[in-house]
Amino acid sequence: MLTENPAVLGLLTIVIGVGGCLGYFYFSNLILDKLIFPASGPKAGSNINRANMVRPWLFLFPAIFALTLYLAYPVFETLRLSLTDRDQGGAFVGLANYHQMMAEPKFWEAVQNNMLWLIIVPAASTAFGLLVAQLTDRIKWGNLAKSLIFMPMAISFVGASVIFKLIYDTRPADQNQIGVLNAVWLKFDGGIGSVLFLQVLPSLVLLAFAGIVAYVAWIFARGIVAKGEDKSVWLLPLRLFVAVAGLWLIWTSLSSLLGIWTTQLPYGEPQTWLTIPLWNSFLLMVVLIWIQTGFAMVILSAALRGIPEETVEAAIIDGANPFQVFFRIKVPQIMGTIVVVWTTITLTVLKVFDIVFAMTNGQWETQVLANYMYDKLFRANDWGVGSASAIIIMVLVTPILVWNVYNARKEMK
């Protein structure tokens, strides 16, 4: 039958959808003007005014109804399910599901991994995107380079996961390694190259990361006591959250630094990379960074091109070097765009599921909240704990929304 053809179904959906919208607006206006508030008789003037007051809400009703049906209702229903127990016939159990969830080590593992993803992936993607945007604007084949870097955006998360799973693939030591990472790893033998690439370089990266986190945490924390800063009560929890998260990340970085120099590395043996705790989480993050760098590059490249040339020329005339021009002239002018890119990638990271599900399925200490929620809802058939974890994800989104509202209001002023 024709209705079994996807193209025909799509066409019918468009026709019915567009036709339904047109019919709704036409007949609702007709009923409003002819039956409810007719523009005739002794009350014609007041009826016209009333109709004009009702008409905007009439037009907004489909959008409000859709938002209520697809956003508001699922939130309240998820909250309700998180307070009930399926095994007891949906009986109300209060916060029992939350207590059960917080008593599970897998939940705290997911929270810890989500925090790492939230800090590392948006920062790395935005930084690489900004770097590429700046460098490719100065070379002749910049557009080709941008196209190549943006290409991963056309690949699904599952497709990218399959590609990187082959890169991390492991074969027995007596066979040829098809995984690029193991092929490179087998070249190290404990000499000076191994010390530089496997100990010194990671140590510098961790120290740089700890320094950046400390600087960002200080910017947020000083607003609590510094004069002239916004002392809004609703902004205080966000500042405290960032400060505490920063301290935790600094401690994690320094602990990892100690582990780099004390761990005995198994040179000459192929490694099953996705089973090595902590490192496997970073290897999973690489997939999302690879995808999102292209998105950040495109947006930030457009922002850089929108910077007035007069400001750059004035800085050069005053003797500013290229680094000063970039960090003190260009970056401050596009800070709003950087925040938007950072926020967008952060929201993507909060929902990360496909990569973890396809590559490790949350095993070997790589669990994240979305995968934990999936396990509880669809594998354990525990809608109470699964819904509770969904609420936790929503709570984690809230500081980002607060920050966006704060910035929007600040720009409006």
Side-chain angles (χ1 to χ4, degrees), residues 126 130 295-296 299-300 302-304 307 329-345 403-404 406-408 410-411:
T126 305
L130 183 59
F295 163 76
I299 305 299
L300 295 174
L304 287 172
I307 295 175
I329 304 299
K330 292 186 176 182
V331 170
Q333 294 188 69
I334 64 170
M335 186 55 67
T337 307
I338 293 175
V339 171
V340 170
V341 171
W342 191 301
T343 304
T344 305
I345 298 175
W403 180 250
N404 281 341
Y406 169 75
N407 281 330
K410 190 175 180 181
E411 290 178 3

Side-chain angles (χ1 to χ4, degrees), residues 285-351:
M285 294 178 201
V286 169
V287 183
L288 192 54
I289 293 171
W290 180 65
I291 295 173
Q292 294 296 322
T293 295
F295 163 76
M297 174 203 65
V298 170
I299 305 299
L300 295 174
S301 179
L304 287 172
R305 294 195 176 197
I307 295 175
E309 288 292 335
E310 295 79 3
T311 58
V312 178
E313 293 172 358
I316 294 174
I317 292 173
D318 289 340
N321 59 47
F323 287 98
Q324 291 173 326
V325 170
F326 180 71
F327 288 105
R328 296 188 179 182
I329 304 299
K330 292 186 176 182
V331 170
Q333 294 188 69
I334 64 170
M335 186 55 67
T337 307
I338 293 175
V339 171
V340 170
V341 171
W342 191 301
T343 304
T344 305
I345 298 175
T346 299
L347 293 175
T348 302
V349 171
L350 277 170
K351 300 179 294 183

